[in-house]
Amino acid sequence: MSESSESRPAAARPVPAVPYASYLRVYEPLSAFPEPERTHWADYARRGVSPTAQDELLRSLSDLVRVPVVGVPAHESADAFTAVLEDGGLLVCPWRTRLRGWLALGELVDSFPLPVLDAALPPLARRRAAEEYEAWRERNPDARPWIRTGVWQVPLRWFVLVADEEREYVPGEVLRYRTPMVQARRRLARGLRTLRAAEGYGSLAEGLVEVGSWLEEFHPRSMVELDYGGLLHALPADALAADRSARDLAEGIAVLRAGDREGATEIYGELAHRWRAVRERLFAN
């Protein structure tokens, strides 16, 4: 899927880059949004606003250094990432920072020891955020985020959605894949059938089921983007240039489909080891 315009990080930035987050995004056609949101995004695109993922992340992190700490924004973001197709069609990926903040807060509770969590985000702030989310969810039961975030990794299941020929790498600027929704769903379904028929891949299969359920919530003419995001600033340039994780995972699934379990185990094991080394940076001093 090609676009006539796109958002990329600027070559020189006045603030430090935040290096740890990767993203899986869905860009929906303008027609998928109800009014008055549709008009808002059309006007937004005409203004030429083009914030980057780093802008979004830095705004979110600024709340965590306030006193008192703001764990979740008080108001929903009115920003989005946009892409314009060659035929002039507009695709929109709303930030939905407040919703994603609530969801991330739930993940933090499961990921960190309570003393660490209390130091970063006091219990009163967490309790208030949980109460606000519960009330909001009652009014918006079908809401879902357009963006998923990986911390110090690109989750391997994301690579099932894309193909090596869709890889775009500009050193120091971007490493991403973009694919039509119909292709992403087709690859996911085929990969899931293979993984379910084999032994030892239950975790990867479960992850694909969950991602597939999320993708089904969006317009069939959407675009899916896998973006290495801030990892571009954390990993060596030669490692990024050589990285072909989507191709490697596709090869592993193809080998598994052909009945070569030993070959598939070798490919998948090497890929998992490579990304485990990246994730371990989370615990580095």
Side-chain angles (χ1 to χ4, degrees):
M1 179 173 290
S2 57
E3 299 80 28
S4 61
S5 67
E6 57 193 20
S7 297
R8 287 184 182 171
R13 303 188 55 82
V15 293
V18 181
Y20 59 76
S22 64
Y23 306 94
L24 185 65
R25 305 187 183 101
V26 173
Y27 292 70
E28 287 197 281
L30 192 60
S31 61
F33 295 90
E35 292 290 3
E37 190 174 6
R38 184 184 307 173
T39 297
H40 167 77
W41 294 130
D43 293 342
Y44 181 91
R46 279 194 292 269
R47 294 199 306 269
V49 181
S50 56
T52 70
Q54 287 288 306
D55 294 324
E56 182 203 10
L57 189 53
L58 287 166
R59 291 181 200 176
S60 299
L61 292 176
S62 66
D63 288 336
L64 297 179
V65 297
R66 295 181 183 179
V67 179
V69 172
V70 179
V72 177
H75 303 285
E76 188 54 271
S77 171
D79 286 301
F81 301 114
T82 61
V84 180
L85 302 176
E86 291 179 345
D87 64 3
L90 177 66
L91 298 175
V92 181
C93 177
W95 284 8
R96 291 295 191 271
T97 307
R98 193 180 192 212
L99 171 57
R100 290 164 54 213
W102 278 322
L103 297 176
L105 190 59
E107 295 175 1
L108 282 176
V109 172
D110 295 331
S111 302
F112 290 92
L114 192 58
V116 175
L117 191 60
D118 288 345
L121 195 61
L124 180 60
R126 299 203 308 272
R127 184 164 57 252
R128 182 183 301 115
E131 292 171 352
E132 291 173 348
Y133 178 54
E134 184 177 354
W136 182 90
R137 195 69 182 177
E138 290 180 357
R139 301 190 303 271
N140 303 273
D142 299 324
R144 76 284 196 247
W146 279 256
I147 305 173
R148 293 190 160 206
T149 303
V151 179
W152 280 116
Q153 64 171 319
V154 178
L156 294 185
R157 57 187 176 275
W158 292 3
F159 289 113
V160 175
L161 308 177
V162 297
D164 186 64
E165 58 267 22
E166 295 162 341
R167 181 180 183 272
E168 178 185 357
Y169 176 49
V170 180
E173 293 189 27
V174 65
L175 200 172
R176 70 184 179 196
Y177 300 79
R178 283 179 162 180
T179 192
M181 175 65 77
V182 64
Q183 285 280 34
R185 289 174 176 170
R186 184 179 298 122
R187 290 169 182 145
L188 186 148
R190 191 178 186 200
L192 186 57
R193 285 195 299 269
T194 299
L195 294 170
R196 279 176 164 170
E199 294 181 4
Y201 296 90
S203 178
L204 182 56
E206 289 176 8
L208 280 180
V209 169
E210 197 268 336
V211 171
S213 297
W214 177 64
L215 292 181
E216 287 297 328
E217 297 290 327
F218 298 99
H219 194 284
R221 295 187 62 188
S222 299
M223 176 181 73
V224 178
E225 177 183 72
L226 190 166
D227 183 4
Y228 276 51
L231 293 179
L232 193 72
H233 308 289
L235 303 179
D238 56 346
L240 291 166
D243 183 88
R244 286 294 192 279
S245 293
R247 179 198 63 192
D248 295 342
L249 188 56
E251 180 183 355
I253 291 176
V255 168
L256 187 63
R257 187 180 299 118
D260 184 0
R261 294 188 178 183
E262 184 175 339
T265 299
E266 181 178 352
I267 294 171
Y268 183 74
E270 194 281 329
L271 186 59
H273 174 76
R274 187 191 314 162
W275 281 103
R276 189 178 305 115
V278 176
R279 288 198 302 275
E280 287 174 354
R281 292 171 180 249
L282 171 64
F283 306 103
N285 291 328

